[in-house]
Amino acid sequence: EVQLQQSGAELGKPGTSVKLSCKVSGYNIRSTYMHWVNQRPGKGLEWIGRIDPANGNTIYAEKFKSKATLTADTSSNTAYMQLSQLKSDDTAIYFCAMRLPLAYWGQGTLVTVSS
Amino acid sequence: DIVLTQSPTTMAASPGEKVTLTCRASSSVSYMNWYQQKPGASPKLWIYGTSKLASGVPNRFSGSGSGTSYSLIISSMETEDIATYYCQQCCSTLTFGSGTKLEIK
């Protein structure tokens, strides 16, 4: 059974960074792209970007190019996303997902930005 | 970038009613995927490749469309279908529609 287990909720101060993780079991992440999607409170889904864990190649949505950094560790079958220069507008649930179409999703990580 | 516009934003349907949700793309796309999301839960793949049902999806659901216009259809609304539905196009970059919230009347 494929499972994506995301790290726990984060509380970050404005101007700082947080790093989220997404550990995959039941599937080798070298064989797929790992995607990240966010959902602001009461809003819709927004694609952030994706990484090819086999070679580290990344593609970002334009608005997240200076906000998010995607990495992956194939030895631990885990994908990561770092969010930098946090602002209140970054408060959201962040999901990892894989395969296209996005057949497998993590449970989401709530990031709250507050001083 | 391709923009996906879903309509209506919110709709209420009676049990047994036929429901049609629409997704329009700003440029032609090859196919459309749909996701169902219930409050407090992660999205679930619901329909892919325009018309293929994901595993476990009831056959009262169907998908159709081409070019810039796509639809998700429920032949007979049930209470368990209450959710928000998002369309999504790909592929080097992905885009989601803004969602249609489906309620029971």
Side-chain angles (χ1 to χ4, degrees):
Chain A
E1 181 190 5
V2 177
Q3 290 189 327
L4 282 65
Q5 182 65 39
Q6 296 188 237
S7 48
E10 297 271 3
L11 174 60
K13 294 189 186 309
T16 65
S17 299
V18 293
K19 189 171 185 177
L20 314 183
S21 67
C22 173
K23 183 170 178 59
V24 178
S25 58
Y27 196 87
N28 189 335
I29 64 172
R30 284 182 152 271
S31 303
T32 187
Y33 293 158
M34 295 298 299
H35 297 258
W36 291 84
V37 174
N38 80 354
Q39 186 166 40
R40 292 183 170 86
K43 302 298 184 183
L45 304 174
E46 189 173 29
W47 184 73
I48 295 170
R50 65 92 169 145
I51 183 168
D52 181 351
N55 56 28
N57 288 345
T58 53
I59 293 180
Y60 297 92
E62 190 65 36
K63 69 177 290 188
F64 290 102
K65 284 184 176 178
S66 58
K67 171 62 62 179
T69 302
L70 305 184
T71 57
D73 178 0
T74 54
S75 66
S76 64
N77 226 36
T78 303
Y80 298 92
M81 177 174 67
Q82 179 165 310
L83 299 170
S84 61
Q85 291 297 314
L86 291 173
K87 302 183 295 186
S88 58
D89 191 43
D90 296 320
T91 294
I93 297 173
Y94 291 84
F95 296 100
C96 58
M98 64 180 224
R99 305 284 297 275
L100 264 183
L102 300 176
Y104 301 101
W105 293 71
Q107 82 277 22
T109 296
L110 174 63
V111 174
T112 304
V113 181
S114 175
S115 54
Chain B
D1 288 356
I2 293 178
V3 176
L4 301 179
T5 302
Q6 290 189 243
S7 60
T9 302
T10 306
M11 75 171 294
S14 302
E17 184 179 346
K18 180 179 179 180
V19 172
T20 300
L21 310 183
T22 299
C23 178
R24 288 198 164 80
S26 58
S27 300
S28 181
V29 298
S30 301
Y31 59 86
M32 194 65 69
N33 300 320
W34 295 84
Y35 299 83
Q36 181 198 66
Q37 187 180 32
K38 296 193 174 185
S42 303
K44 292 182 179 179
L45 177 64
W46 213 244
I47 294 174
Y48 64 99
T50 301
S51 60
K52 303 178 187 66
L53 301 186
S55 177
V57 174
N59 60 14
R60 62 181 177 274
F61 284 86
S62 63
S64 66
S66 64
T68 61
S69 184
Y70 293 83
S71 297
L72 180 156
I73 300 143
I74 308 173
S75 61
S76 179
M77 175 76 180
E78 295 195 11
T79 304
E80 67 178 20
D81 301 335
I82 296 171
T84 300
Y85 294 85
Y86 295 93
C87 56
Q88 174 253 313
Q89 69 84 29
C90 72
C91 287
S92 59
T93 62
L94 276 61
T95 309
F96 289 94
S98 53
T100 292
K101 185 176 182 180
L102 182 57
E103 301 172 335
I104 200 82
K105 196 183 291 182

